[in-house]
Amino acid sequence: MSSSDMREVLLAAHSGDTELVMRWLRGGGDMNDVDKRSGDTLLIAAAVGGQVRLVRRFVSLSANVDQQSAAGLTALMGAVSQPGPISSVTAKVLLQAGAKLNLQSKTTGLTALTFAVQKNFDSAVVLTLVQARADLDLQTTCGSTALSSAAYLGRTDVVEMLVKGGAQLDLQNDEGATALMGAAQRGHTNAIRALLRAGADPSIRSAADKLTARQLAEAEGHTMAADVLRLWADEQAAKQASEIEEAEALAERSANADAAMAALLAEEAAATPAPAPAKDRGRRTTRRPRAKSSDCSTKQVGPPSCDETVACWRRASGEGRQTERSSNPEATRGDDTRSVAGSCTPLGSPRGRWERNWQMPTGLEVPCEVQRYLDALHMGQEDRQAAAALLARRRSMIRHSN
């Protein structure tokens, strides 16, 4: 077969001359013959021409769907490069036939998606490829991506589509430019806003000239684009300052409330009478040494530590109850004490017997000292009521401090 004959049949496939193409195939032509000059096949020619019927016919005749031309073009790349809705239909036929969605051109590194973004201004075909799970972050030989191409061309709808699909916002090409820089360099304000809303970083500098997106816009004379970037930076700075101020105010209110609660707990502990000594019923008892600085009834400068709190409870409640609780598995829910940073102040010695499966009421903000005390003691009814009253007073303090 001569080169002229091959070029003639390729033109017939491109234009949709089914009769000529089929006559050539019946005459001994091979479906996967390649033009020596262009490297095109019948399937590539039909896909580029948007000839869906011929594409279906060639696919049914076992055409090679991933054959690349001399320019690195596949049938799928050629199909999505052509404007109009028919390209989306042709792409679906090729994908159903098993065309590789993320195959890159051997010459440029372009994929079907980047071809669609750069050459087809019908967003439907881009959506078709995104829904087919195309890799959104594959880079060409110069480092460009589908997102950077869409931003550079000002295709805001495609930018939003790719961002929603999960494209990385700040990938840089060989010159260190991001998608935001490309949009700024061309003055596409809507694409700039879409990228900024999605979280693109305007502070990144290019590797070549060390300029930010705003500086690139100013250098190219795109005043509106530069103003959009400047206002965005001002808004973010003001927002950050407001968040810092709010956090500092919240920390101060919380510290004041915690200090008031600590004082309240200390007052309650000091007001709680010491437990009466157990009566000697003829049994020989061992006199415990008098507690020193960590005695529950002794005033201290500052609240005692969590370990001292547990020690106070053990001295106040007596080793007998401690033994009773630890030896009776039905009267306890297990060792549920937690290591909490900070200090704990006891509410006083426990009254009543331990109860199982008791939980703190939901909706209450429990300070560390109270939660640790409750977890450690499994308090009785009277102590729970006292703790609830203290917590109510603490919540009232917090509301008034606000």
Side-chain angles (χ1 to χ4, degrees), residues 41-375:
T41 63
L42 290 177
L43 181 61
I44 293 175
V48 171
Q51 305 300 329
V52 183
R53 291 184 180 179
L54 272 179
V55 169
R56 286 197 178 99
R57 177 74 65 85
F58 295 157
V59 166
S60 68
L61 295 174
S62 302
N64 183 357
V65 293
D66 293 322
Q67 176 69 40
Q68 291 194 27
S69 68
L73 191 74
T74 65
L76 181 59
M77 295 174 189
V80 300
S81 300
Q82 304 309 307
I86 197 66
S87 60
S88 181
V89 178
T90 309
K92 290 179 180 179
V93 171
L94 291 167
L95 289 172
Q96 290 171 357
K100 294 179 180 178
L101 181 59
N102 296 316
L103 187 64
Q104 291 182 279
S105 169
K106 60 186 178 183
T107 57
T108 61
L110 292 170
T111 64
L113 180 60
T114 47
F115 267 106
V117 171
Q118 293 180 7
K119 299 181 180 298
N120 192 333
F121 284 83
D122 182 6
S123 301
V125 69
V126 178
L127 180 61
T128 297
L129 298 175
V130 172
Q131 290 176 340
R133 299 185 179 278
D135 189 335
L136 308 184
D137 299 321
L138 284 177
Q139 294 178 285
T140 65
T141 53
C142 62
S144 297
T145 63
L147 181 61
S148 64
S149 298
Y152 186 81
L153 295 171
R155 301 189 63 181
T156 307
D157 57 339
V158 175
V159 168
E160 293 174 343
M161 190 184 303
L162 294 172
V163 166
K164 186 177 180 180
Q168 294 188 48
L169 299 174
D170 296 321
L171 282 178
Q172 295 174 277
N173 62 15
D174 293 349
E175 297 180 350
T178 64
L180 183 61
M181 292 179 188
Q185 194 172 11
R186 296 296 297 272
H188 299 306
T189 55
N190 289 334
I192 291 171
R193 291 189 181 96
L195 288 168
L196 289 174
R197 286 195 299 268
D201 187 356
S203 66
I204 297 176
R205 296 180 180 273
S206 62
D209 44 23
K210 306 299 181 183
L211 298 179
T212 63
R214 175 182 169 185
Q215 291 169 336
L216 284 171
E218 292 171 346
E220 295 294 330
H222 300 300
T223 306
M224 291 184 63
D227 288 343
V228 169
L229 289 161
R230 178 181 55 79
L231 290 173
W232 178 268
D234 293 344
E235 289 174 2
Q236 295 304 304
K239 182 179 179 181
Q240 185 177 11
S242 175
E243 289 176 351
I244 293 174
E245 183 179 353
E246 182 179 353
E248 290 176 348
L250 180 62
E252 183 179 357
R253 292 197 300 270
S254 178
N256 292 339
D258 287 341
M261 184 60 186
L264 191 62
L265 291 171
E267 291 177 7
E268 291 289 335
T272 302
K279 293 183 179 180
D280 188 359
R281 299 181 180 179
R283 296 181 182 178
R284 189 174 181 179
T285 59
T286 303
R287 186 183 183 90
R288 292 192 186 90
R290 185 175 183 82
K292 296 182 180 178
S293 60
S294 57
D295 192 344
C296 291
S297 61
T298 304
K299 277 197 172 183
Q300 300 182 16
V301 178
S305 66
C306 291
D307 292 338
E308 291 172 341
T309 300
V310 175
C312 287
W313 161 68
R314 287 175 176 170
R315 286 192 297 278
S317 60
E319 294 295 334
R321 287 189 178 180
Q322 174 72 4
T323 305
E324 175 188 357
R325 177 171 179 250
S326 60
S327 61
N328 186 359
E330 295 300 323
T332 181
R333 61 175 183 179
D335 186 7
D336 192 30
T337 57
R338 295 177 297 210
S339 176
V340 182
S343 60
C344 307
T345 303
L347 295 174
S349 58
R351 297 180 292 275
R353 297 186 57 81
W354 320 120
E355 296 183 14
R356 294 186 63 211
N357 300 327
W358 180 80
Q359 296 180 353
M360 200 65 195
T362 57
L364 290 179
E365 183 181 0
V366 184
C368 100
E369 51 267 34
V370 174
Q371 183 65 59
R372 176 66 179 271
Y373 187 73
L374 298 183
D375 287 345

